[in-house]
Amino acid sequence: MTYRILTGHISQETNSFNRIPTTLKHFRALGLLLGDEIPPALCGTRTTLGAMFEAAEKFGWMLSHPLVAKATPGGAVTKEAFAQLCAWFLAGAAGCDGALFELHGAMVAEGYEDAEGEILARLRTLLGPDAPIVVTLDLHANVTEKMAANASALIAVRTYPHIDYYERAWQGAELLDRALRREIHPKTVIAKRPMLGGLDGGRTQVGPMRELIDRGEALEAFGKALVVSVCAGFSLSDVHDAGPSVTVTVDGDTAEARRIAEQFMDYAWETREFVSSPWMGASIAEAVERAKSGESSADKPLVIADNSDNPGGGAYGDATNFLRAMIAADLQNAAFHAIFDPAAVQAGIAIGVGNKGRILLGGKYAPEMGGGPLEVQGQIVSITDGHFRCFGPSFLGGGAWNTFGLSMLVRIGGIDVVVTSNNGQAVDLAQLTSLGVDPFHCTTIALKSSHHFRAAFEPIAREVIMVDGGAMLSASMRPAYHHVRRPIWPLDEVIP
Ligand SMILES: [Zn+2]
């Protein structure tokens, strides 16, 4: 028989401390796709959907693909946007025998603290208790009991930077095929601890994440579990269930799965203080000094990443502190990605390519933190529609097109500054090359990212340093939590 399978993608990571609600406009900005728009955009790419189109061919499935909707991390998704996303996606569930799709796992919607749990519960009601529902997740998912109870299997990516969505989707497809044929009956259990952070923020190179992912893969290889997923959680979602989790999927009896999940979380608890390298390294002054002193002898770029204004963590992306210091130091042959400021792009369009003029850059959303607006005299080097095709290893990559909206490159002294109309972090070299910057031959590249940038930029760098630019995610900020369960480490003293 031919099985009908629901697939798709809904993702947004919610930073509860970002004041800008996420609306459908933000999903549309990154290229929201409906129905027949999806196959030409994603067939042949190394994404969840790319894998699903190939898997459907292999297993003879008929796919229902109603929706692909991604938004840059930011404030909670509005009630209206969440209702519309659910309506689009769940309309595709009619007549389906099973599902395999991608969620982030740390999305918060107005009225639904556990947005993904709500989507899964509604889908479970539509498909019935026996239909296999398999979901791929970001490893920064705040996984809940409701998600584990309503999904048959949760498969989180195992890399940070996240570069294995395609492989995880294929793992899910093999499992879905077996479940559809009733060879297995996957069930998923979850364990957590009173932890908001830990697991080294999800970094998978060394440390507790690496250890638990390796242990989980060994259990899968020996047939002790169908799937073991380790999630570091996203601590800036102020929700009851924020924090790390382990989910274990087994065939049938879940007693052993519970034992494994608890044992893994014991290890996560014991290693909670482990940090492989500082998230915020140098001060602004130190970082600029390093850049200036290395200019004359550089054969490769020094890559400086400002974690404090990382749009990938829900920051506003328009902080100017670090750029201001770069301009003051008169850095040469440098690139800066990016200032999110649609009005500045419009001002650049009015000035015109090749012309010089004064522009007010960024600093609009939280001027008290990121440095406020920066008035510059610059030359407009290029203006594009903001599209860039990513062939790099990042989660945007695999040959997929992305857009940050109307974008421009403005040259301020010796610094080429990217200004975008949609907010987003720097993860692919195409974000520079598409505007005319050659990252291989820059002396200094400043980015806003905490870790994802490493997949593409570390291989071309002479050195990578982190800087605390003083913006929303700065080490000096102390977010006021209201909804997370208490007591919880590290906000409270916790006796396990
Ligand atoms: Zn993530």
PDB file of all heavy atoms in Angstrom, residues 13 104 137-141 157 159-162 165 201-202 233-234 312 395 425 452, ligand 1:
ATOM      1  N   GLU A  13      13.031  30.109  17.385  1.00  0.00           N
ATOM      2  CA  GLU A  13      13.549  29.969  18.746  1.00  0.00           C
ATOM      3  C   GLU A  13      13.179  31.252  19.472  1.00  0.00           C
ATOM      4  O   GLU A  13      13.557  32.337  19.030  1.00  0.00           O
ATOM      5  CB  GLU A  13      15.066  29.792  18.675  1.00  0.00           C
ATOM      6  CG  GLU A  13      15.759  29.554  19.990  1.00  0.00           C
ATOM      7  CD  GLU A  13      17.266  29.451  19.775  1.00  0.00           C
ATOM      8  OE1 GLU A  13      17.893  30.449  19.342  1.00  0.00           O
ATOM      9  OE2 GLU A  13      17.828  28.379  20.018  1.00  0.00           O
ATOM     10  N   HIS A 104      11.632  23.437  15.773  1.00  0.00           N
ATOM     11  CA  HIS A 104      12.808  23.858  16.535  1.00  0.00           C
ATOM     12  C   HIS A 104      12.803  23.217  17.913  1.00  0.00           C
ATOM     13  O   HIS A 104      13.732  22.542  18.320  1.00  0.00           O
ATOM     14  CB  HIS A 104      12.873  25.386  16.659  1.00  0.00           C
ATOM     15  CG  HIS A 104      14.124  25.821  17.370  1.00  0.00           C
ATOM     16  ND1 HIS A 104      14.276  25.706  18.736  1.00  0.00           N
ATOM     17  CD2 HIS A 104      15.289  26.325  16.899  1.00  0.00           C
ATOM     18  CE1 HIS A 104      15.492  26.114  19.071  1.00  0.00           C
ATOM     19  NE2 HIS A 104      16.121  26.499  17.979  1.00  0.00           N
ATOM     20  N   LEU A 137      14.533  17.872  15.608  1.00  0.00           N
ATOM     21  CA  LEU A 137      14.584  19.055  16.481  1.00  0.00           C
ATOM     22  C   LEU A 137      15.971  19.688  16.455  1.00  0.00           C
ATOM     23  O   LEU A 137      16.970  19.012  16.211  1.00  0.00           O
ATOM     24  CB  LEU A 137      14.316  18.651  17.934  1.00  0.00           C
ATOM     25  CG  LEU A 137      12.937  18.176  18.337  1.00  0.00           C
ATOM     26  CD1 LEU A 137      12.983  17.696  19.790  1.00  0.00           C
ATOM     27  CD2 LEU A 137      11.902  19.286  18.186  1.00  0.00           C
ATOM     28  N   ASP A 138      16.007  20.958  16.804  1.00  0.00           N
ATOM     29  CA  ASP A 138      17.264  21.641  17.119  1.00  0.00           C
ATOM     30  C   ASP A 138      17.750  21.096  18.465  1.00  0.00           C
ATOM     31  O   ASP A 138      16.939  20.740  19.322  1.00  0.00           O
ATOM     32  CB  ASP A 138      16.978  23.136  17.246  1.00  0.00           C
ATOM     33  CG  ASP A 138      18.233  23.982  17.321  1.00  0.00           C
ATOM     34  OD1 ASP A 138      18.938  23.924  18.353  1.00  0.00           O
ATOM     35  OD2 ASP A 138      18.487  24.717  16.360  1.00  0.00           O
ATOM     36  N   LEU A 139      19.087  21.047  18.661  1.00  0.00           N
ATOM     37  CA  LEU A 139      19.535  20.542  19.967  1.00  0.00           C
ATOM     38  C   LEU A 139      19.399  21.580  21.070  1.00  0.00           C
ATOM     39  O   LEU A 139      19.650  21.310  22.235  1.00  0.00           O
ATOM     40  CB  LEU A 139      20.954  19.961  19.894  1.00  0.00           C
ATOM     41  CG  LEU A 139      22.188  20.798  19.652  1.00  0.00           C
ATOM     42  CD1 LEU A 139      22.518  21.720  20.803  1.00  0.00           C
ATOM     43  CD2 LEU A 139      23.373  19.874  19.421  1.00  0.00           C
ATOM     44  N   HIS A 140      18.952  22.803  20.714  1.00  0.00           N
ATOM     45  CA  HIS A 140      18.610  23.795  21.729  1.00  0.00           C
ATOM     46  C   HIS A 140      17.113  23.785  22.051  1.00  0.00           C
ATOM     47  O   HIS A 140      16.582  24.765  22.592  1.00  0.00           O
ATOM     48  CB  HIS A 140      19.061  25.193  21.278  1.00  0.00           C
ATOM     49  CG  HIS A 140      20.548  25.301  21.156  1.00  0.00           C
ATOM     50  ND1 HIS A 140      21.202  25.320  19.940  1.00  0.00           N
ATOM     51  CD2 HIS A 140      21.522  25.332  22.094  1.00  0.00           C
ATOM     52  CE1 HIS A 140      22.518  25.383  20.151  1.00  0.00           C
ATOM     53  NE2 HIS A 140      22.728  25.382  21.448  1.00  0.00           N
ATOM     54  N   ALA A 141      16.446  22.697  21.727  1.00  0.00           N
ATOM     55  CA  ALA A 141      15.019  22.554  22.045  1.00  0.00           C
ATOM     56  C   ALA A 141      14.816  22.476  23.560  1.00  0.00           C
ATOM     57  O   ALA A 141      15.618  21.859  24.258  1.00  0.00           O
ATOM     58  CB  ALA A 141      14.469  21.292  21.387  1.00  0.00           C
ATOM     59  N   VAL A 157      19.242  17.185  16.341  1.00  0.00           N
ATOM     60  CA  VAL A 157      20.528  17.193  15.654  1.00  0.00           C
ATOM     61  C   VAL A 157      21.635  16.935  16.679  1.00  0.00           C
ATOM     62  O   VAL A 157      21.451  17.147  17.877  1.00  0.00           O
ATOM     63  CB  VAL A 157      20.788  18.508  14.862  1.00  0.00           C
ATOM     64  CG1 VAL A 157      19.825  18.616  13.694  1.00  0.00           C
ATOM     65  CG2 VAL A 157      20.712  19.719  15.766  1.00  0.00           C
ATOM     66  N   THR A 159      24.960  17.999  16.243  1.00  0.00           N
ATOM     67  CA  THR A 159      26.108  18.847  15.945  1.00  0.00           C
ATOM     68  C   THR A 159      25.754  20.289  16.282  1.00  0.00           C
ATOM     69  O   THR A 159      24.615  20.735  16.084  1.00  0.00           O
ATOM     70  CB  THR A 159      26.440  18.801  14.442  1.00  0.00           C
ATOM     71  OG1 THR A 159      25.227  19.043  13.711  1.00  0.00           O
ATOM     72  CG2 THR A 159      27.032  17.459  14.046  1.00  0.00           C
ATOM     73  N   TYR A 160      26.717  21.017  16.825  1.00  0.00           N
ATOM     74  CA  TYR A 160      26.584  22.455  17.031  1.00  0.00           C
ATOM     75  C   TYR A 160      27.932  23.051  16.704  1.00  0.00           C
ATOM     76  O   TYR A 160      28.863  22.820  17.459  1.00  0.00           O
ATOM     77  CB  TYR A 160      26.161  22.747  18.458  1.00  0.00           C
ATOM     78  CG  TYR A 160      26.021  24.214  18.811  1.00  0.00           C
ATOM     79  CD1 TYR A 160      25.632  25.151  17.856  1.00  0.00           C
ATOM     80  CD2 TYR A 160      26.263  24.665  20.099  1.00  0.00           C
ATOM     81  CE1 TYR A 160      25.498  26.480  18.192  1.00  0.00           C
ATOM     82  CE2 TYR A 160      26.117  26.000  20.443  1.00  0.00           C
ATOM     83  CZ  TYR A 160      25.741  26.899  19.483  1.00  0.00           C
ATOM     84  OH  TYR A 160      25.599  28.222  19.814  1.00  0.00           O
ATOM     85  N   PRO A 161      28.092  23.787  15.600  1.00  0.00           N
ATOM     86  CA  PRO A 161      27.085  24.210  14.622  1.00  0.00           C
ATOM     87  C   PRO A 161      26.254  23.035  14.059  1.00  0.00           C
ATOM     88  O   PRO A 161      26.810  21.961  13.833  1.00  0.00           O
ATOM     89  CB  PRO A 161      27.914  24.847  13.509  1.00  0.00           C
ATOM     90  CG  PRO A 161      29.201  25.269  14.170  1.00  0.00           C
ATOM     91  CD  PRO A 161      29.441  24.277  15.245  1.00  0.00           C
ATOM     92  N   HIS A 162      24.960  23.306  13.825  1.00  0.00           N
ATOM     93  CA  HIS A 162      24.036  22.261  13.388  1.00  0.00           C
ATOM     94  C   HIS A 162      24.221  21.979  11.897  1.00  0.00           C
ATOM     95  O   HIS A 162      23.825  22.781  11.055  1.00  0.00           O
ATOM     96  CB  HIS A 162      22.588  22.694  13.609  1.00  0.00           C
ATOM     97  CG  HIS A 162      22.318  23.234  14.990  1.00  0.00           C
ATOM     98  ND1 HIS A 162      22.969  22.804  16.112  1.00  0.00           N
ATOM     99  CD2 HIS A 162      21.431  24.165  15.410  1.00  0.00           C
ATOM    100  CE1 HIS A 162      22.519  23.443  17.169  1.00  0.00           C
ATOM    101  NE2 HIS A 162      21.584  24.287  16.772  1.00  0.00           N
ATOM    102  N   TYR A 165      20.985  18.061   9.889  1.00  0.00           N
ATOM    103  CA  TYR A 165      19.528  17.898   9.737  1.00  0.00           C
ATOM    104  C   TYR A 165      19.189  16.832   8.702  1.00  0.00           C
ATOM    105  O   TYR A 165      18.246  16.058   8.869  1.00  0.00           O
ATOM    106  CB  TYR A 165      18.875  19.237   9.354  1.00  0.00           C
ATOM    107  CG  TYR A 165      18.641  20.128  10.533  1.00  0.00           C
ATOM    108  CD1 TYR A 165      19.474  21.195  10.809  1.00  0.00           C
ATOM    109  CD2 TYR A 165      17.581  19.888  11.407  1.00  0.00           C
ATOM    110  CE1 TYR A 165      19.269  22.005  11.914  1.00  0.00           C
ATOM    111  CE2 TYR A 165      17.365  20.697  12.504  1.00  0.00           C
ATOM    112  CZ  TYR A 165      18.211  21.750  12.755  1.00  0.00           C
ATOM    113  OH  TYR A 165      18.001  22.530  13.851  1.00  0.00           O
ATOM    114  N   GLY A 201      26.215  24.566  26.871  1.00  0.00           N
ATOM    115  CA  GLY A 201      25.437  25.323  25.881  1.00  0.00           C
ATOM    116  C   GLY A 201      25.185  24.548  24.603  1.00  0.00           C
ATOM    117  O   GLY A 201      24.768  25.108  23.603  1.00  0.00           O
ATOM    118  N   GLY A 202      25.435  23.251  24.647  1.00  0.00           N
ATOM    119  CA  GLY A 202      25.161  22.410  23.472  1.00  0.00           C
ATOM    120  C   GLY A 202      26.368  22.170  22.583  1.00  0.00           C
ATOM    121  O   GLY A 202      26.243  21.495  21.558  1.00  0.00           O
ATOM    122  N   GLY A 233      18.785  22.602  25.503  1.00  0.00           N
ATOM    123  CA  GLY A 233      17.777  23.592  25.865  1.00  0.00           C
ATOM    124  C   GLY A 233      18.181  24.998  25.440  1.00  0.00           C
ATOM    125  O   GLY A 233      19.307  25.224  24.967  1.00  0.00           O
ATOM    126  N   PHE A 234      17.252  25.935  25.592  1.00  0.00           N
ATOM    127  CA  PHE A 234      17.496  27.340  25.277  1.00  0.00           C
ATOM    128  C   PHE A 234      17.066  28.163  26.477  1.00  0.00           C
ATOM    129  O   PHE A 234      15.872  28.310  26.753  1.00  0.00           O
ATOM    130  CB  PHE A 234      16.727  27.748  24.014  1.00  0.00           C
ATOM    131  CG  PHE A 234      17.000  29.172  23.595  1.00  0.00           C
ATOM    132  CD1 PHE A 234      18.292  29.580  23.288  1.00  0.00           C
ATOM    133  CD2 PHE A 234      15.985  30.093  23.522  1.00  0.00           C
ATOM    134  CE1 PHE A 234      18.556  30.895  22.914  1.00  0.00           C
ATOM    135  CE2 PHE A 234      16.232  31.410  23.136  1.00  0.00           C
ATOM    136  CZ  PHE A 234      17.518  31.804  22.843  1.00  0.00           C
ATOM    137  N   GLY A 312      21.017  34.946  16.292  1.00  0.00           N
ATOM    138  CA  GLY A 312      20.705  33.534  16.461  1.00  0.00           C
ATOM    139  C   GLY A 312      20.296  33.182  17.875  1.00  0.00           C
ATOM    140  O   GLY A 312      19.764  32.101  18.119  1.00  0.00           O
ATOM    141  N   PHE A 395      23.424  25.307   8.882  1.00  0.00           N
ATOM    142  CA  PHE A 395      22.019  24.884   8.771  1.00  0.00           C
ATOM    143  C   PHE A 395      21.285  25.626   7.668  1.00  0.00           C
ATOM    144  O   PHE A 395      20.207  25.229   7.264  1.00  0.00           O
ATOM    145  CB  PHE A 395      21.297  25.054  10.111  1.00  0.00           C
ATOM    146  CG  PHE A 395      21.320  26.462  10.634  1.00  0.00           C
ATOM    147  CD1 PHE A 395      20.313  27.345  10.314  1.00  0.00           C
ATOM    148  CD2 PHE A 395      22.362  26.905  11.438  1.00  0.00           C
ATOM    149  CE1 PHE A 395      20.328  28.646  10.782  1.00  0.00           C
ATOM    150  CE2 PHE A 395      22.394  28.203  11.920  1.00  0.00           C
ATOM    151  CZ  PHE A 395      21.374  29.080  11.588  1.00  0.00           C
ATOM    152  N   GLN A 425      21.896  35.831  11.865  1.00  0.00           N
ATOM    153  CA  GLN A 425      23.307  35.739  12.234  1.00  0.00           C
ATOM    154  C   GLN A 425      24.174  35.322  11.045  1.00  0.00           C
ATOM    155  O   GLN A 425      23.683  34.820  10.032  1.00  0.00           O
ATOM    156  CB  GLN A 425      23.510  34.784  13.415  1.00  0.00           C
ATOM    157  CG  GLN A 425      23.391  33.317  13.100  1.00  0.00           C
ATOM    158  CD  GLN A 425      23.780  32.438  14.309  1.00  0.00           C
ATOM    159  OE1 GLN A 425      24.806  32.638  14.914  1.00  0.00           O
ATOM    160  NE2 GLN A 425      22.927  31.471  14.629  1.00  0.00           N
ATOM    161  N   HIS A 452      27.654  29.182  15.765  1.00  0.00           N
ATOM    162  CA  HIS A 452      27.329  28.686  14.419  1.00  0.00           C
ATOM    163  C   HIS A 452      28.296  29.183  13.353  1.00  0.00           C
ATOM    164  O   HIS A 452      28.532  28.494  12.357  1.00  0.00           O
ATOM    165  CB  HIS A 452      25.904  29.081  14.035  1.00  0.00           C
ATOM    166  CG  HIS A 452      24.868  28.155  14.579  1.00  0.00           C
ATOM    167  ND1 HIS A 452      24.854  26.817  14.300  1.00  0.00           N
ATOM    168  CD2 HIS A 452      23.825  28.367  15.409  1.00  0.00           C
ATOM    169  CE1 HIS A 452      23.851  26.234  14.922  1.00  0.00           C
ATOM    170  NE2 HIS A 452      23.217  27.154  15.610  1.00  0.00           N
TER     171      HIS A 452
HETATM  172 ZN    ZN B   1      20.388  25.459  18.000  1.00  0.00          ZN
END
